[in-house]
Structure formats: structure tokens, C-alpha cells
Amino acid sequence: MWDFWVTGEAARSAIRDLCTKPKPRHISQDHQSQTLKCELFITSCHLTDFIRIFTMASMSETIETEESLLTVLHIKIYHPQQSCKGLYDLLPLGLRRRHSADYPLRLGRDAQACTYSLADPRVSRKQLGLHPFRTPRSPDLLFSIQNLSQRGPLSVNGSLLSYLETMNLPDKALIRFGEYEMLIIRESGEAKASFEVDFEVLPVAPSRETCTDMPGKAPVMDTGSMNQNTAGLREEGPQETDETFICYS
């Protein structure tokens, strides 16, 4: 067996030479065997090289599409009673979750009806929805927000949304409902079919950092003590046997 490696154009040239070169009438058995082994070796090397290049190209395309270019929604959440453990038990804190852009995301109390849920009886069964969309004028994956709660308005950068009303989200938006505050930051990507979401708990209210406040809303103290609005949690929220109530002090 000849000990050499042939790839790419060299393999194609060698095969063409073997096919077009006139063969003598009388060839020994040993020479025929060596020639056949050479042809098989060259063909095998060429096929192996093609498979290797095709596999590397496919892997490169997959990595670029699935890892590097996904749009990410960073959702940073705050509640004045969050030090009382249990509110965020159902959220995948610190983990990125991938979602198809074909379906909206829902946040609420009902874990079966919503993509992400909060263990708080004061939250509506379906509180809000995030809808991915695209426009002809931009390659970016954008999002709109919809108020799914009939119990109260939803604030988006100070603008109020009533039940089923929708608004396009800017790249950075402060969302407020009840005593919850969510800062949603969109990190742009190029993937069209999917995006990622990650959740983070903020130690202080984002409205204090951005110096925004809602008219008529009393400030919340950092001590975590109960006030008149939070003292009657069980009376204000819907009562269901499968709900997890936050603790009281």
C-alpha cells in the first residue's frame, strides 16, 4: 500500500489521471492489485475530506445561529416584600431559557396558563403577555406588551395600559403592576426563529434609580414592614386552594 495522503483538488486530479491514462494490454496481477488499492485509497481520502469540511461548515453555521445571534430579554424584577422567600420560587432565576418566536410569553399566577409564574395571590391568573414581532423596516426581533389583567392597569414607562391594551416595548422599559416593578432590557440579535429570556432579582426598586414614579402611588419603605396596602394580602387576592401565600411577620 502506498503511504501518502491526498485531499481536495489533488485527489480529483489523481482520479482523472487514472481514468484517462491508457492502460497497457498486459498487466501483472500484482500491479493490478496495487492500482486498485491506490484508486480506492484516493477515493476514500477525497470522501473523508469532503465529509470533514461539510461537517465543520455545518457546525460553524449552527453555533453562529443558535448561540451568538439570539435576541435576549433581560427581565429584572423587584417587590418590596421579596425578602420573604417564596415570591420567585417558580422563576428560573440565573438561567437563560430559549423560546420560539412563534408564541407569546405570559406572566401571571397560574403556572399552567403562563410561561412564567409568580407565587403571589395578589397577581392575576394571567397578568401580562410579551409578543415577539418583526417589521419590514428592521431586521430586529421586537416585542410588544399586553395587559391581560382585568383587576388593574399596567404601567409601561409611566403610560397606563388597561385590559387587553397593547404597546410596543422600547429597548429599555420599566413595567409596573401592583407593587411589582420589572425592568425589561432587550439585547438585540439576528436570529429570527427564537430568543432567550433571563430573570434577575433587583435589590432596590428600579424606579428609584431611574427617578420615575407613578402618580398617586405611595413610596414603599426598604424595611420590608407591612403597611395598610400589604396587611390584607389574603383578603385582596383571589382565594384558591393551590396558591402559595407569601409569609407574614
Side-chain angles (χ1 to χ4, degrees), residues 19-102:
C19 294
T20 59
K21 183 178 180 180
K23 298 179 176 57
R25 297 181 179 179
H26 302 287
I27 303 177
S28 66
Q29 189 70 21
D30 291 340
H31 186 73
Q32 289 181 354
S33 177
Q34 289 284 359
T35 302
L36 179 60
K37 290 179 181 180
C38 174
E39 293 176 355
L40 292 176
F41 183 72
I42 292 174
T43 304
S44 175
C45 291
H46 187 203
L47 180 60
T48 302
D49 186 58
F50 173 79
I51 294 175
R52 178 178 59 84
I53 295 174
F54 179 79
T55 302
M56 291 178 62
S58 300
M59 290 178 60
S60 176
E61 181 180 357
T62 301
I63 292 173
E64 181 183 21
T65 302
E66 297 184 356
E67 295 183 5
S68 303
L69 303 175
L70 288 177
T71 296
V72 182
L73 283 183
H74 302 281
I75 302 178
K76 304 181 180 184
I77 191 169
Y78 171 83
H79 188 278
Q81 299 294 324
Q82 64 189 17
S83 59
C84 183
K85 296 180 179 179
L87 283 178
Y88 308 138
D89 283 354
L90 301 178
L91 293 180
L93 299 176
L95 298 175
R96 284 195 178 185
R97 293 287 178 85
R98 185 171 178 175
H99 298 276
S100 172
D102 296 338

Coordinates of all heavy atoms in Angstrom, one line a residue, residues 19-102:
C19 N -8.3 7.6 -14.7 CA -9.4 7.3 -15.6 C -9.0 7.5 -17.1 O -9.5 6.8 -18.0 CB -10.6 8.1 -15.3 SG -11.3 7.7 -13.6
T20 N -8.2 8.5 -17.4 CA -7.9 8.8 -18.8 C -6.6 8.2 -19.3 O -6.3 8.2 -20.5 CB -7.8 10.4 -18.9 OG1 -6.8 10.9 -18.0 CG2 -9.1 11.0 -18.5
K21 N -5.7 7.8 -18.4 CA -4.4 7.3 -18.8 C -4.6 5.9 -19.5 O -5.2 5.0 -18.9 CB -3.5 7.1 -17.6 CG -2.1 6.7 -17.9 CD -1.2 6.6 -16.7 CE 0.2 6.1 -17.1 NZ 1.1 6.0 -15.9
P22 N -4.1 5.8 -20.7 CA -4.2 4.5 -21.4 C -3.5 3.4 -20.6 O -2.4 3.6 -20.1 CB -3.6 4.7 -22.7 CG -2.9 6.0 -22.7 CD -3.3 6.7 -21.5
K23 N -4.1 2.2 -20.5 CA -3.6 1.1 -19.8 C -2.9 0.1 -20.8 O -3.4 -0.1 -21.9 CB -4.7 0.4 -19.0 CG -5.3 1.3 -18.0 CD -6.4 0.5 -17.3 CE -7.0 1.4 -16.1 NZ -7.5 2.7 -16.6
P24 N -1.8 -0.4 -20.4 CA -1.1 -1.4 -21.3 C -2.0 -2.7 -21.4 O -2.8 -3.0 -20.5 CB 0.2 -1.7 -20.5 CG 0.0 -1.3 -19.1 CD -1.0 -0.2 -19.2
R25 N -1.7 -3.4 -22.5 CA -2.5 -4.6 -22.7 C -2.2 -5.7 -21.7 O -3.1 -6.5 -21.3 CB -2.3 -5.2 -24.1 CG -2.7 -4.2 -25.2 CD -2.5 -4.8 -26.6 NE -2.9 -3.9 -27.6 CZ -2.8 -4.2 -28.9 NH1 -2.3 -5.4 -29.3 NH2 -3.2 -3.3 -29.8
H26 N -1.0 -5.9 -21.3 CA -0.6 -7.0 -20.4 C -0.1 -6.3 -19.1 O 0.9 -5.7 -19.0 CB 0.5 -7.8 -21.0 CG 0.1 -8.4 -22.4 ND1 -0.8 -9.4 -22.5 CD2 0.5 -8.0 -23.6 CE1 -0.9 -9.7 -23.8 NE2 -0.2 -8.9 -24.5
I27 N -0.9 -6.5 -18.0 CA -0.6 -6.0 -16.7 C -0.5 -7.2 -15.7 O -1.4 -8.0 -15.7 CB -1.6 -5.0 -16.2 CG1 -1.7 -3.8 -17.2 CG2 -1.3 -4.4 -14.8 CD1 -2.8 -2.8 -16.9
S28 N 0.5 -7.2 -14.9 CA 0.6 -8.3 -13.9 C -0.5 -8.2 -12.9 O -1.1 -7.1 -12.7 CB 2.0 -8.2 -13.3 OG 2.1 -7.0 -12.5
Q29 N -0.7 -9.3 -12.2 CA -1.8 -9.4 -11.2 C -1.4 -8.5 -10.0 O -2.3 -7.8 -9.5 CB -1.9 -10.8 -10.7 CG -3.1 -11.0 -9.8 CD -4.4 -10.9 -10.5 OE1 -4.5 -11.1 -11.8 NE2 -5.5 -10.6 -9.8
D30 N -0.1 -8.4 -9.6 CA 0.3 -7.6 -8.5 C 0.1 -6.1 -8.8 O -0.3 -5.3 -8.0 CB 1.8 -7.9 -8.2 CG 2.0 -9.3 -7.6 OD1 1.0 -9.8 -7.1 OD2 3.1 -9.7 -7.6
H31 N 0.5 -5.7 -10.1 CA 0.3 -4.3 -10.5 C -1.2 -3.9 -10.5 O -1.5 -2.8 -10.1 CB 0.9 -4.1 -11.8 CG 0.9 -2.6 -12.2 ND1 1.8 -1.7 -11.7 CD2 0.2 -2.0 -13.1 CE1 1.6 -0.5 -12.2 NE2 0.6 -0.6 -13.1
Q32 N -2.0 -4.8 -11.0 CA -3.5 -4.5 -10.9 C -4.0 -4.3 -9.5 O -4.8 -3.4 -9.2 CB -4.2 -5.6 -11.6 CG -4.1 -5.7 -13.1 CD -4.9 -6.8 -13.8 OE1 -5.5 -7.6 -13.0 NE2 -4.9 -6.9 -15.1
S33 N -3.5 -5.2 -8.6 CA -3.9 -5.1 -7.2 C -3.5 -3.7 -6.6 O -4.2 -3.1 -5.9 CB -3.3 -6.2 -6.4 OG -3.7 -6.1 -5.0
Q34 N -2.2 -3.4 -6.9 CA -1.7 -2.1 -6.4 C -2.5 -0.9 -6.9 O -2.8 0.1 -6.2 CB -0.2 -1.9 -6.7 CG 0.7 -2.9 -6.0 CD 0.9 -2.4 -4.5 OE1 0.4 -1.4 -4.1 NE2 1.7 -3.2 -3.8
T35 N -2.8 -1.0 -8.2 CA -3.5 0.1 -8.8 C -4.9 0.3 -8.2 O -5.4 1.4 -8.0 CB -3.7 -0.1 -10.4 OG1 -2.3 -0.2 -10.9 CG2 -4.4 1.0 -11.0
L36 N -5.6 -0.9 -8.0 CA -6.9 -0.9 -7.4 C -6.9 -0.3 -6.0 O -7.7 0.5 -5.6 CB -7.5 -2.3 -7.4 CG -8.9 -2.4 -6.8 CD1 -9.9 -1.6 -7.6 CD2 -9.3 -3.9 -6.8
K37 N -5.9 -0.7 -5.2 CA -5.8 -0.2 -3.9 C -5.5 1.3 -3.9 O -6.0 2.1 -3.1 CB -4.6 -0.9 -3.2 CG -4.9 -2.3 -2.8 CD -3.7 -3.0 -2.1 CE -4.0 -4.4 -1.8 NZ -2.8 -5.1 -1.1
C38 N -4.7 1.8 -4.8 CA -4.5 3.2 -4.9 C -5.7 4.0 -5.3 O -6.0 5.0 -4.7 CB -3.4 3.5 -6.0 SG -3.1 5.2 -6.4
E39 N -6.5 3.5 -6.2 CA -7.8 4.2 -6.6 C -8.7 4.2 -5.4 O -9.4 5.2 -5.2 CB -8.4 3.4 -7.8 CG -7.6 3.5 -9.1 CD -8.2 2.7 -10.2 OE1 -9.2 2.0 -9.9 OE2 -7.7 2.8 -11.3
L40 N -8.9 3.1 -4.7 CA -9.7 3.1 -3.6 C -9.3 4.0 -2.5 O -10.1 4.7 -1.8 CB -9.9 1.6 -3.0 CG -10.6 0.6 -3.9 CD1 -10.5 -0.8 -3.3 CD2 -12.0 1.1 -4.1
F41 N -8.0 4.1 -2.3 CA -7.4 5.0 -1.2 C -7.7 6.4 -1.5 O -8.1 7.2 -0.7 CB -5.9 4.7 -1.1 CG -5.2 5.5 0.0 CD1 -5.5 5.2 1.3 CD2 -4.4 6.5 -0.3 CE1 -4.9 5.9 2.3 CE2 -3.8 7.3 0.7 CZ -4.0 7.0 2.0
I42 N -7.4 6.8 -2.8 CA -7.7 8.2 -3.2 C -9.1 8.6 -3.1 O -9.5 9.6 -2.5 CB -7.2 8.4 -4.6 CG1 -5.6 8.3 -4.7 CG2 -7.6 9.7 -5.2 CD1 -5.1 8.3 -6.1
T43 N -10.0 7.7 -3.5 CA -11.5 7.9 -3.4 C -11.9 8.1 -1.9 O -12.6 9.0 -1.6 CB -12.3 6.8 -4.1 OG1 -11.8 6.7 -5.4 CG2 -13.8 7.1 -4.0
S44 N -11.3 7.2 -1.1 CA -11.7 7.3 0.4 C -11.2 8.6 1.0 O -11.9 9.2 1.8 CB -11.1 6.0 1.1 OG -11.3 6.1 2.5
C45 N -10.0 9.0 0.6 CA -9.4 10.2 1.2 C -10.3 11.4 0.8 O -10.5 12.3 1.6 CB -8.0 10.4 0.8 SG -6.8 9.2 1.5
H46 N -10.6 11.4 -0.5 CA -11.4 12.5 -1.0 C -12.8 12.6 -0.3 O -13.2 13.7 0.1 CB -11.6 12.3 -2.5 CG -12.3 13.5 -3.2 ND1 -13.0 13.4 -4.4 CD2 -12.4 14.8 -2.8 CE1 -13.4 14.6 -4.7 NE2 -13.1 15.5 -3.8
L47 N -13.4 11.5 -0.1 CA -14.7 11.4 0.5 C -14.6 11.8 2.0 O -15.4 12.6 2.5 CB -15.3 10.0 0.4 CG -16.7 9.8 1.1 CD1 -17.7 10.7 0.5 CD2 -17.1 8.3 1.0
T48 N -13.5 11.4 2.7 CA -13.3 11.7 4.1 C -13.1 13.2 4.2 O -13.6 13.9 5.1 CB -12.1 11.0 4.6 OG1 -12.4 9.6 4.5 CG2 -11.9 11.3 6.1
D49 N -12.3 13.8 3.3 CA -12.0 15.2 3.4 C -13.3 16.0 3.1 O -13.6 17.0 3.8 CB -11.0 15.6 2.3 CG -10.5 17.0 2.4 OD1 -10.0 17.4 3.5 OD2 -10.7 17.7 1.4
F50 N -14.2 15.6 2.2 CA -15.4 16.3 1.9 C -16.3 16.3 3.1 O -16.9 17.3 3.5 CB -16.1 15.6 0.7 CG -17.5 16.2 0.5 CD1 -17.6 17.4 -0.2 CD2 -18.6 15.5 0.9 CE1 -18.9 17.9 -0.4 CE2 -19.9 16.0 0.6 CZ -20.0 17.2 0.0
I51 N -16.4 15.1 3.8 CA -17.3 15.0 5.0 C -16.8 15.9 6.1 O -17.6 16.5 6.8 CB -17.4 13.5 5.4 CG1 -18.1 12.7 4.3 CG2 -18.1 13.4 6.8 CD1 -18.1 11.2 4.6
R52 N -15.5 15.9 6.3 CA -14.9 16.7 7.3 C -15.2 18.2 7.1 O -15.6 18.9 8.0 CB -13.4 16.5 7.4 CG -12.7 17.4 8.5 CD -11.2 17.0 8.5 NE -10.6 17.2 7.2 CZ -10.1 18.4 6.8 NH1 -10.2 19.5 7.6 NH2 -9.5 18.5 5.6
I53 N -15.0 18.7 5.9 CA -15.2 20.1 5.6 C -16.7 20.4 5.7 O -17.1 21.5 6.3 CB -14.7 20.4 4.1 CG1 -13.2 20.3 4.1 CG2 -15.2 21.8 3.7 CD1 -12.7 20.4 2.7
F54 N -17.6 19.5 5.2 CA -19.0 19.8 5.3 C -19.5 19.8 6.8 O -20.3 20.7 7.2 CB -19.8 18.7 4.5 CG -21.3 18.8 4.6 CD1 -21.9 19.8 3.8 CD2 -22.0 18.1 5.5 CE1 -23.3 19.9 3.8 CE2 -23.4 18.2 5.5 CZ -24.0 19.1 4.7
T55 N -19.0 18.9 7.6 CA -19.3 18.9 9.0 C -18.9 20.1 9.7 O -19.6 20.7 10.5 CB -18.7 17.6 9.7 OG1 -19.2 16.5 9.0 CG2 -19.1 17.6 11.1
M56 N -17.7 20.6 9.5 CA -17.2 21.8 10.1 C -18.0 23.0 9.7 O -18.3 23.9 10.5 CB -15.7 22.0 9.7 CG -14.7 21.0 10.3 SD -13.0 21.3 9.8 CE -12.7 22.9 10.5
A57 N -18.4 23.1 8.4 CA -19.2 24.2 8.0 C -20.6 24.2 8.6 O -21.1 25.2 9.1 CB -19.3 24.2 6.5
S58 N -21.2 23.0 8.8 CA -22.5 22.9 9.4 C -22.4 23.3 10.9 O -23.3 23.9 11.4 CB -23.0 21.5 9.2 OG -23.1 21.1 7.9
M59 N -21.3 22.8 11.6 CA -21.2 23.1 13.0 C -21.0 24.6 13.2 O -21.6 25.2 14.1 CB -20.0 22.4 13.6 CG -20.2 20.9 13.7 SD -18.8 20.0 14.3 CE -18.6 20.8 15.9
S60 N -20.2 25.2 12.3 CA -20.0 26.7 12.4 C -21.3 27.5 12.2 O -21.6 28.4 12.9 CB -19.0 27.1 11.3 OG -18.8 28.5 11.3
E61 N -22.1 27.1 11.2 CA -23.4 27.7 11.0 C -24.3 27.5 12.1 O -25.0 28.5 12.6 CB -24.0 27.2 9.7 CG -25.3 27.9 9.3 CD -25.9 27.3 8.1 OE1 -25.2 26.5 7.4 OE2 -27.0 27.8 7.7
T62 N -24.3 26.3 12.7 CA -25.2 26.1 13.9 C -24.8 26.9 15.1 O -25.7 27.5 15.8 CB -25.2 24.6 14.2 OG1 -25.6 23.8 13.1 CG2 -26.1 24.3 15.4
I63 N -23.5 27.0 15.4 CA -23.1 27.7 16.5 C -23.4 29.2 16.3 O -23.9 29.9 17.2 CB -21.5 27.5 16.7 CG1 -21.3 26.1 17.1 CG2 -21.0 28.5 17.8 CD1 -19.8 25.7 17.2
E64 N -23.2 29.7 15.1 CA -23.4 31.1 14.9 C -24.9 31.5 15.0 O -25.3 32.5 15.6 CB -23.0 31.5 13.5 CG -23.2 33.0 13.1 CD -22.8 33.3 11.7 OE1 -22.7 32.3 10.9 OE2 -22.5 34.4 11.4
T65 N -25.8 30.6 14.6 CA -27.2 30.8 14.6 C -27.8 30.7 16.0 O -28.6 31.5 16.4 CB -27.9 29.9 13.6 OG1 -27.4 30.1 12.3 CG2 -29.4 30.2 13.6
E66 N -27.4 29.6 16.7 CA -28.0 29.2 17.9 C -27.4 29.9 19.1 O -28.1 30.0 20.2 CB -28.0 27.7 18.1 CG -28.8 27.0 17.0 CD -28.9 25.5 17.2 OE1 -28.2 25.0 18.2 OE2 -29.5 24.8 16.4
E67 N -26.2 30.3 19.1 CA -25.5 30.8 20.3 C -25.2 32.2 20.2 O -25.4 33.0 21.2 CB -24.3 29.9 20.6 CG -24.6 28.5 20.9 CD -23.3 27.7 21.3 OE1 -22.2 28.4 21.3 OE2 -23.3 26.5 21.4
S68 N -24.7 32.7 19.1 CA -24.2 34.1 19.1 C -25.2 35.1 18.8 O -24.9 36.3 19.2 CB -23.0 34.1 18.0 OG -22.0 33.1 18.4
L69 N -26.2 34.8 18.1 CA -27.0 35.9 17.5 C -28.5 35.9 18.0 O -29.4 36.4 17.3 CB -27.0 35.8 16.0 CG -25.7 35.8 15.3 CD1 -25.7 35.6 13.8 CD2 -25.0 37.1 15.6
L70 N -28.7 35.3 19.1 CA -30.1 35.3 19.7 C -30.4 36.6 20.4 O -29.6 37.1 21.1 CB -30.3 34.1 20.7 CG -30.3 32.7 20.1 CD1 -30.4 31.7 21.2 CD2 -31.5 32.6 19.1
T71 N -31.6 37.1 20.2 CA -32.1 38.3 20.9 C -32.4 37.8 22.4 O -32.9 36.7 22.6 CB -33.4 38.8 20.3 OG1 -33.1 39.3 19.0 CG2 -34.0 39.9 21.2
V72 N -32.0 38.6 23.3 CA -32.2 38.3 24.8 C -33.0 39.3 25.4 O -32.8 40.5 25.3 CB -30.8 38.1 25.5 CG1 -31.0 37.7 26.9 CG2 -29.9 37.1 24.8
L73 N -34.0 38.9 26.2 CA -34.8 39.8 27.1 C -34.3 39.6 28.5 O -34.4 38.5 29.1 CB -36.3 39.5 27.0 CG -37.1 39.9 25.8 CD1 -38.5 39.6 26.0 CD2 -36.9 41.4 25.5
H74 N -33.7 40.6 29.0 CA -33.2 40.6 30.4 C -34.3 41.2 31.3 O -34.7 42.4 31.1 CB -31.9 41.4 30.6 CG -30.8 40.9 29.7 ND1 -30.1 39.8 30.1 CD2 -30.3 41.4 28.6 CE1 -29.1 39.6 29.2 NE2 -29.3 40.6 28.2
I75 N -34.9 40.4 32.1 CA -36.1 40.9 33.0 C -35.6 40.9 34.4 O -35.3 39.9 35.0 CB -37.3 39.9 32.8 CG1 -37.7 39.8 31.4 CG2 -38.4 40.4 33.7 CD1 -38.9 38.9 31.1
K76 N -35.5 42.2 34.9 CA -35.0 42.4 36.3 C -36.3 42.8 37.1 O -36.9 43.8 36.8 CB -34.0 43.5 36.3 CG -32.8 43.1 35.4 CD -31.7 44.2 35.4 CE -30.6 43.8 34.4 NZ -29.5 44.8 34.5
I77 N -36.5 42.1 38.2 CA -37.8 42.2 38.9 C -37.5 42.6 40.4 O -36.5 42.3 41.0 CB -38.6 40.9 38.9 CG1 -40.0 41.1 39.4 CG2 -37.8 39.8 39.6 CD1 -40.9 39.9 39.1
Y78 N -38.5 43.4 40.9 CA -38.4 43.8 42.3 C -39.8 43.9 42.9 O -40.8 44.2 42.3 CB -37.8 45.2 42.3 CG -37.8 45.9 43.7 CD1 -36.9 45.6 44.7 CD2 -38.9 46.8 44.1 CE1 -36.9 46.1 46.0 CE2 -38.9 47.3 45.3 CZ -38.0 47.0 46.3 OH -38.1 47.5 47.5
H79 N -39.8 43.5 44.2 CA -41.0 43.7 45.0 C -40.6 44.0 46.5 O -39.6 43.5 47.0 CB -41.8 42.3 45.0 CG -43.2 42.5 45.7 ND1 -43.3 42.4 47.1 CD2 -44.4 42.7 45.2 CE1 -44.6 42.5 47.3 NE2 -45.3 42.7 46.2
P80 N -41.3 44.9 47.1 CA -40.8 45.3 48.5 C -40.8 44.2 49.5 O -40.1 44.3 50.5 CB -41.8 46.5 48.8 CG -43.0 46.3 47.9 CD -42.4 45.7 46.7
Q81 N -41.6 43.1 49.3 CA -41.6 42.0 50.2 C -40.9 40.8 49.7 O -41.1 39.7 50.2 CB -43.1 41.6 50.4 CG -44.0 42.7 51.0 CD -43.5 43.1 52.4 OE1 -43.1 42.2 53.2 NE2 -43.6 44.4 52.8
Q82 N -39.9 41.0 48.8 CA -39.2 39.9 48.2 C -38.3 39.2 49.1 O -37.9 38.1 48.9 CB -38.5 40.3 46.9 CG -37.4 41.3 47.1 CD -36.8 41.9 45.8 OE1 -37.4 41.8 44.8 NE2 -35.6 42.4 45.9
S83 N -37.9 39.9 50.2 CA -37.0 39.2 51.2 C -37.7 38.1 51.9 O -37.1 37.2 52.5 CB -36.5 40.2 52.2 OG -37.6 40.9 52.9
C84 N -39.1 38.1 51.9 CA -39.8 37.0 52.4 C -39.9 35.9 51.3 O -40.6 36.1 50.3 CB -41.2 37.5 52.8 SG -42.3 36.2 53.5
K85 N -39.1 34.9 51.5 CA -38.9 33.9 50.4 C -40.2 33.3 49.9 O -41.1 33.0 50.7 CB -37.9 32.8 50.8 CG -36.5 33.4 51.1 CD -35.6 32.3 51.6 CE -34.2 32.8 51.8 NZ -33.3 31.8 52.3
G86 N -40.3 33.0 48.6 CA -41.4 32.3 48.1 C -42.0 33.0 46.9 O -42.6 32.3 46.0
L87 N -41.8 34.3 46.7 CA -42.4 35.0 45.6 C -41.9 34.5 44.3 O -42.6 34.4 43.3 CB -42.2 36.5 45.7 CG -43.0 37.3 46.7 CD1 -42.6 38.8 46.7 CD2 -44.5 37.2 46.3
Y88 N -40.6 34.3 44.2 CA -39.9 33.9 42.9 C -39.5 32.5 42.8 O -38.7 32.1 42.0 CB -38.7 34.8 42.8 CG -38.9 36.3 42.9 CD1 -38.0 37.1 43.7 CD2 -40.0 36.9 42.4 CE1 -38.2 38.4 43.8 CE2 -40.2 38.3 42.6 CZ -39.3 39.0 43.3 OH -39.5 40.4 43.4
D89 N -40.2 31.6 43.6 CA -39.8 30.2 43.6 C -40.0 29.5 42.3 O -39.3 28.6 41.9 CB -40.6 29.5 44.7 CG -40.0 29.7 46.1 OD1 -39.0 30.4 46.2 OD2 -40.6 29.3 47.1
L90 N -41.0 30.0 41.5 CA -41.3 29.4 40.2 C -40.6 30.0 39.0 O -40.8 29.6 37.9 CB -42.8 29.5 40.0 CG -43.7 28.8 41.1 CD1 -45.2 29.0 40.8 CD2 -43.3 27.3 41.2
L91 N -39.7 31.0 39.3 CA -39.0 31.7 38.2 C -37.6 31.0 38.1 O -37.0 30.7 39.1 CB -38.8 33.2 38.5 CG -40.1 34.0 38.5 CD1 -39.7 35.5 38.8 CD2 -40.8 33.9 37.1
P92 N -37.1 30.9 36.9 CA -35.8 30.3 36.6 C -34.7 31.3 36.8 O -34.0 31.7 35.8 CB -35.9 29.8 35.2 CG -36.8 30.7 34.5 CD -37.8 31.1 35.6
L93 N -34.5 31.8 38.0 CA -33.5 32.8 38.3 C -32.1 32.4 37.9 O -31.7 31.3 38.3 CB -33.6 33.3 39.8 CG -34.9 33.8 40.2 CD1 -34.9 34.1 41.7 CD2 -35.3 35.1 39.5
G94 N -31.4 33.2 37.2 CA -30.0 32.9 36.9 C -29.8 32.0 35.7 O -28.7 31.6 35.4
L95 N -30.9 31.6 35.1 CA -30.9 30.7 34.0 C -31.5 31.3 32.7 O -32.5 32.0 32.8 CB -31.6 29.4 34.3 CG -31.0 28.5 35.4 CD1 -32.0 27.3 35.7 CD2 -29.6 28.1 35.2
R96 N -30.9 31.1 31.6 CA -31.4 31.6 30.3 C -32.3 30.5 29.7 O -31.9 29.3 29.6 CB -30.3 32.0 29.3 CG -29.7 33.3 29.6 CD -28.9 33.8 28.5 NE -28.3 35.1 28.7 CZ -27.6 35.8 27.8 NH1 -27.5 35.3 26.6 NH2 -27.1 37.0 28.1
R97 N -33.5 30.9 29.4 CA -34.5 30.0 28.7 C -34.7 30.4 27.3 O -34.9 31.6 27.0 CB -35.8 29.9 29.5 CG -35.7 29.3 30.9 CD -35.5 27.8 30.9 NE -35.3 27.2 32.2 CZ -36.3 26.9 33.0 NH1 -37.6 27.1 32.6 NH2 -36.1 26.3 34.1
R98 N -34.7 29.4 26.4 CA -34.9 29.7 25.0 C -36.4 29.5 24.6 O -37.0 28.5 25.1 CB -34.0 28.8 24.1 CG -34.1 29.1 22.7 CD -33.0 28.3 21.9 NE -33.1 28.6 20.5 CZ -32.2 28.1 19.6 NH1 -31.2 27.4 20.1 NH2 -32.3 28.4 18.3
H99 N -36.9 30.4 23.8 CA -38.3 30.3 23.4 C -38.4 30.5 21.9 O -37.6 31.2 21.3 CB -39.1 31.4 24.1 CG -39.1 31.3 25.6 ND1 -40.0 30.4 26.3 CD2 -38.3 31.8 26.6 CE1 -39.7 30.5 27.6 NE2 -38.8 31.3 27.8
S100 N -39.5 29.9 21.4 CA -39.8 30.1 19.9 C -40.5 31.5 19.8 O -41.3 31.9 20.6 CB -40.7 29.0 19.5 OG -41.2 29.3 18.1
A101 N -40.1 32.2 18.7 CA -40.7 33.5 18.4 C -42.1 33.4 17.9 O -42.8 34.4 17.7 CB -39.8 34.2 17.4
D102 N -42.6 32.1 17.7 CA -44.0 32.0 17.2 C -45.0 32.1 18.3 O -46.2 32.3 18.0 CB -44.1 30.5 16.6 CG -43.2 30.3 15.4 OD1 -42.8 31.3 14.8 OD2 -42.9 29.2 15.1

